[in-house]
Amino acid sequence: MQLAIQQIFAQVGIDEILDNGAATSQSIAEGWDKQWLDLLQNNTSNNLYGALTNLGIFFAVGTLLFFMIQFLKDLLSYEYTRPISALIWPFIVVILLSNSANGSILSNLTLGVRNFLNTVNQQVVVSADADKMYQQALNMSVAEEVAGSLLRPCQSLTGEQQSQCFVKAAEKVNILWQKYRDIYGNKNWIIRLQTKVDNIRYGTGIVSETSFNSLLGSTVQTSIKNFLVSLQYAFQNLIEATMLLIAALGPIAVGGSLLPVAGKPIFAWLTGFLSIGIAKISFNIIAVLTAAVIVNGPGQDANVDPDLMWFIIFLGILAPLLSLLVAAAGGFAVFSAISNTASLVKERI
């Protein structure tokens, strides 16, 4: 029976849902850890990051000519005041792009910022998901689909065959309810779902299509939920992949920072990196808070039969979009703050 339940979980795609939200978020980040270390710290003289660092050095040498032209122009126009403050950029570029077998200063700083963002994200998820709200809300949304996958074949049977089918299916579903109780305790939403399954199991005569649909939904709805749950995990992995891509492009941004322009490429690169971190944190905050609304609302009433399809749609589509909008706004604010600070420092030096 345990094997049968695991097979159903695999079909519906909710293996990770039986882990808590914090563990799921952490496991996604940890799955990318080796890629980060291989790219930014291990043998960076010969790997992809080393090649991009060499490209960044090439850009730095090329833009150094433009920098020196602007430097000489400022030297003649401003009597040493601005040119001296501008000399800090070549030193910054040289220091950040100095590469070794264990990574450059830039790669180590990038990895440190990424680890800091992951720590903050994990603290947010752990503190906000203390009662496993995210996990419970997902399970409330998909538990009926799991039960439906076991009970739906009985719908086409009649008489004793249907009764025996219900008995066998209910035995398997009871394993699921017990697993939920072991994790969350005897919650009202578990009682509600078990009661609905028991009513069908012990009912007399042929169970109507309406009764089945109220509990089981349809195979199309199951497929949609499965897709949307997978979509939100895909979004979290996309965030990790985007952070890694931006980190890899760091040397090019640093190398282009000698261009005599107001908006330095390194500022845009740093803003993009921080913005992706904001998107990651925002998504988890949105998911946990929305889950808390469900668990503390309809989840507390055993007599309420809510349609939680909206929650799965929210997690799979709307929450990623909202987190990206928040990240874009936050990134713009960060870029403005960095640029204004750089201008202020330049004027003071």
Side-chain angles (χ1 to χ4, degrees):
M1 275 181 201
Q2 292 285 356
L3 179 60
I5 287 293
Q6 292 300 323
Q7 290 173 342
I8 293 298
F9 283 176
Q11 293 171 8
V12 181
I14 61 167
D15 295 294
E16 294 92 345
I17 298 173
L18 289 177
D19 298 322
N20 59 57
T24 301
S25 177
Q26 185 177 19
S27 65
I28 291 175
E30 289 176 350
W32 287 86
D33 283 348
K34 187 177 186 302
Q35 297 299 323
W36 279 86
L37 293 176
D38 288 343
L39 182 66
L40 299 182
Q41 282 195 334
N42 297 336
N43 195 25
T44 56
S45 298
N46 300 316
N47 66 1
L48 175 62
Y49 194 83
L52 292 173
T53 299
N54 292 334
L55 182 59
I57 293 173
F58 175 78
F59 280 1
V61 173
T63 56
L64 182 61
L65 175 62
F66 298 99
F67 175 84
M68 293 305 300
I69 294 174
Q70 185 66 38
F71 178 80
L72 292 175
K73 181 180 178 181
D74 291 343
L75 189 64
L76 296 175
S77 302
Y78 296 96
E79 298 180 353
Y80 300 102
T81 305
R82 283 182 57 184
I84 292 177
S85 63
L87 282 176
I88 190 174
W89 281 109
F91 290 103
I92 292 176
V93 171
V94 170
I95 292 173
L96 292 179
L97 293 182
S98 298
N99 197 14
S100 66
N102 294 324
S104 63
I105 293 179
L106 176 62
S107 67
N108 290 323
L109 287 175
T110 303
L111 189 61
V113 173
R114 186 255 180 178
N115 292 336
F116 172 75
L117 291 174
N118 278 348
T119 299
V120 172
N121 177 70
Q122 197 61 24
Q123 289 175 345
V124 168
V125 174
V126 170
S127 60
D129 199 32
D131 294 325
K132 301 180 179 179
M133 298 292 185
Y134 177 68
Q135 174 191 5
Q136 287 191 62
L138 277 178
N139 277 312
M140 286 175 62
S141 302
V142 300
E144 291 186 354
E145 310 302 328
V146 177
S149 298
L150 292 168
L151 292 172
R152 193 173 292 117
C154 304
Q155 186 180 14
S156 59
L157 303 177
T158 59
E160 184 64 23
Q161 286 184 330
Q162 187 180 69
S163 299
Q164 291 299 320
C165 179
F166 283 151
V167 170
K168 293 179 181 179
E171 289 176 353
K172 296 176 183 179
V173 175
N174 285 337
I175 297 175
L176 178 62
W177 304 146
Q178 187 57 50
K179 195 173 186 68
Y180 284 158
R181 286 190 173 92
D182 292 341
I183 298 174
Y184 313 120
N186 195 29
K187 299 294 185 179
N188 286 332
W189 63 269
I190 302 176
I191 297 174
R192 174 178 59 83
L193 291 174
Q194 184 174 17
T195 300
K196 293 180 70 174
V197 172
D198 288 343
N199 287 340
I200 292 178
R201 173 187 177 184
Y202 296 113
T204 58
I206 300 176
V207 180
S208 67
E209 182 76 20
T210 303
S211 299
F212 262 92
N213 287 340
S214 65
L215 172 64
L216 309 182
S218 65
T219 54
V220 174
Q221 183 170 303
T222 300
S223 299
I224 293 174
K225 285 188 176 182
N226 183 23
F227 171 75
L228 292 174
V229 170
S230 298
L231 194 63
Q232 59 116 351
Y233 288 127
F235 174 75
Q236 294 184 62
N237 280 282
L238 178 63
I239 289 291
E240 293 291 336
T242 305
M243 287 186 71
L244 187 59
L245 175 62
I246 295 176
L249 297 177
I252 298 177
V254 172
S257 295
L258 291 180
L259 286 171
V261 293
K264 297 294 184 182
I266 189 174
F267 295 159
W269 171 79
L270 181 60
T271 300
F273 194 78
L274 293 177
S275 296
I276 294 299
I278 293 173
K280 181 178 181 178
I281 295 172
S282 299
F283 175 80
N284 285 312
I285 292 176
I286 294 168
V288 170
L289 292 179
T290 308
V293 171
I294 293 174
V295 174
N296 293 329
Q300 297 299 321
D301 192 342
N303 298 317
V304 173
D305 190 15
D307 181 8
L308 299 179
M309 186 67 182
W310 71 267
F311 176 65
I312 301 298
I313 295 174
F314 188 87
L315 277 186
I317 300 176
L318 301 181
L321 291 176
L322 180 58
S323 64
L324 290 177
L325 289 175
V326 172
F332 179 78
V334 170
F335 182 77
S336 299
I338 293 176
S339 298
N340 292 337
T341 301
S343 300
L344 181 62
V345 171
K346 186 176 180 179
E347 292 175 358
R348 295 293 178 87
I349 296 179

